[in-house]
Amino acid sequence: MKYLEEFRDPDLARRLLDDIARITTKHHVLMEVCGGQTHSIIRNGIDRLLPDEIEMVHGPGCPVCVTPLETIDKALEIASRDGVVFCSFGDMLRVPGSGRDLFSVKSTGGDVRIVYSPLDAVQIARDNPDREVVFFGIGFETTAPANAMALYQARQEGLTNFSMLVSHVLVPPAIRAILDSPTNRVEAFLAAGHVCSVMGYEEYYPIAEQYGTPIVVTGFEPLDLLQGIKMAVLQLEEGRAEVENAYQRAVTRGGNVPAQQMLADVFTTVDRNWRGIGAIPRSGWALGAGYEAFDAAERFTVTDIDTVESPLCHAGEVLRGTLKPDECPAFGKECTPRTPLGATMVSAEGACAAYYLYGRFKELEATP
Amino acid sequence: MTIEDWTCPMPLRDHPRIVMGHGGGGQLSAELIEHLFVPAFGNGELTELADAAVLDLEGSISFSTDTFTVHPRFFPGGDIGELAINGTVNDVAMRGAVPRYLSVGLVLEEGLPMAELGVIVNSMARAAAHAGVTVVTGDTKVVDRGHGDGIYINTTGIGIMRDGADIRPQRATPGDVIIVSGTMGDHGMAIMSVREGLEFEASIRSDSAALNHMIGDVLDTGGDVHVLRDPTRGGLAASLNEIATAADVGVLIEERSIPVDRTVAAACEMLGMDPMYVANEGKVVAFVAAGDADRVLGAMRSHPEGVNATIIGEVTDTHRGVVAARTPLGSIRVVDMQVGEQLPRIC
Amino acid sequence: MCLGIPGKVIEITGEGVTMTGKVDFDGIVKEVSLAYVPEISIGDYTIVHVGFAITQLDEKAALETLAHLQEIEAVAIELDPGAALAAEEAIAKGDE
């Protein structure tokens, strides 16, 4: 595909890797914030090709992983109700709540449907006026404009049988929370490219300055990732802490203004619990003024939720970068993609699942 | 094929949709057999309408069964009918047998349009004729509306083992060359393109095909074929993992060598899926003694189903039980089995 | 997070919040919302996430990035005499 394949060129990747090795003189800890980047790094084996001095820590940028257990349990409860059509992105179906997931809700009669876009859920609501259609509105800043548009259209049309269970999370407050942690090891961040396509990267300047931490806006293909890593390493080597953009074809400093206007209209900033991490102030979006009627959590009174997180799960430390997935005592034993204890073992780009899928067999490195 | 094309459609025209009586064993059942199944599958055994078929067989047989529930019933490049024939024909052929006889069991949902059934049954007949197999026995049941998904089909197949054929997963041996007969993921993505909620416009067609003639030619080369597998559900990744586990050998593939149609690749990108995990219905993975790889490739490429056949990797005596892939960048990663169905993802 | 795929706009209908269009991803055509890229024209590339164009792809920047990466290659070849030789041979072959 155009503008995808060119950025996977193995020869150019090797040159970039050589370049990175050449400029690296000491140990650096980098975090890619975004789960999509984690996926690409592991799938292309980039982590194995980097110099030993560079340690990539996989960040919390996977909505599937950080959506709070309470919200998942609410979703499961709503999806089980008669008359409800529960629509979700495919990612959320296998995420464990307290003891079950959306697949098991479906197996016991819940009408759970995978959609590609939130507008598909709005269409299902139009087509089924006698059913309550609920969309699971999760995601980071990239996904929020789509969910906002679904809500906007539903309100414009006066659709009374559509609602959304909203649990949006925001990247900059998460980066701050990681940097504020006393056990933090991360020295530089690769900021999530598509989040910045929407939001721009103005917000990162004060963070880079305050914490003295380089932040490089980075894309998803191997060359994008290597270029982002190279720019971050170069900053660390030269003692700089700036905001740079390694994903110029998709990101401008100001971001997507029409999308930002819609977000401001539909959502309001709130404190948010991150699964495994805890509460981060002003790190989420909830439905704003005028959209209260579309709040699925209000429309369906959900009580009696008793959230139980596995005591064996160390997903929080993994998401903060203080523990590598394979250092968790449950990794590959009690916790596997078949029997996930935490969401990080479920999603394809959850740090634990990624490690399990692609990195479990270290002896393979000896394969010629 | 429309209802007008049936051999003697008059009695069936009275029932434009399947009713419970079509599975009841009475007159309606008999009409279905007489006016639809016998004309479609017509052959000596079936027309006798006895309780069971009697077959003259000699030597070892290969015997396999599969049930087909695909939704939607009609998809780009095929339908549930030809899939049900080709699927079982292929399973039988994967052991090195010549597929000969099939049984067909139909579970119909009350209300299924008769014309659709006609199309599906005739598509089965065409596929069976093409594969050179005979449908010798069958059964039809009808379930209440809402208790089925239009139509489910079970087919069971019998094939006669070729002399000396010993083809099974356990025979994968270090040094074997791994060949796939064509592009990966076509069927799964063709289904995905018409799946409710995910629809997209594309020229992707299912690869549903009977492979017995091609496999026959491959075995006729005399090449030392150790394993044949059709990478259906779970795709190439599942097949390779099953073989690596069964034979306790390592598998190393070159990711760049795996043939993937451009459009299928684009669809996979769009939905966040990996073609290695997407189903095929007309492809084979072959594990072959290294010295015989060229002969096998040549035989495959002489068939339309195998024109894109290519070598994708080899069997190793390291990392036993594990499938590894060399990425285009040159590093090695593990290719595990999917836990469940591969789902479109947003991240 | 955030699978975003580049595609080419081949059809535009509607305007404002209902502006939609067909985007071609190398043979796959999908109807997507163009509400957030109101300036986009037919033939432009965009990045699509969950059925929404989230930004216009800057083709000039893409080519510049690639050109910049090619330069790294040139520098690296200078540092590596073996590779430089191979490159010269390749060029010589190309001339034939």
Side-chain angles (χ1 to χ4, degrees), chain C residues 10-76:
Chain C
I10 57 170
E11 197 182 299
I12 298 176
T13 48
E15 54 179 10
V17 293
T18 61
M19 181 169 163
T20 54
K22 288 189 171 173
V23 177
D24 180 357
F25 307 92
D26 216 2
I28 301 290
V29 176
K30 185 93 188 155
E31 181 103 8
V32 307
S33 167
L34 300 175
Y36 295 127
V37 288
E39 321 260 281
I40 209 152
S41 311
I42 288 174
D44 287 343
Y45 277 78
T46 177
I47 290 178
V48 175
H49 172 72
V50 299
F52 282 76
I54 55 168
T55 185
Q56 182 171 341
L57 191 142
D58 184 342
E59 296 183 68
K60 191 164 155 271
L63 296 175
E64 278 169 11
T65 303
L66 284 170
H68 170 73
L69 294 174
Q70 302 279 359
E71 274 167 34
I72 297 173
E73 186 171 27
V75 173

Side-chain angles (χ1 to χ4, degrees), chain A residues 100-121:
Chain A
R100 55 179 185 160
D101 58 19
L102 281 168
F103 272 120
S104 44
V105 169
K106 189 164 182 273
S107 72
T108 52
D111 190 347
V112 179
R113 302 186 194 180
I114 297 175
V115 293
Y116 172 71
S117 160
L119 293 185
D120 298 336

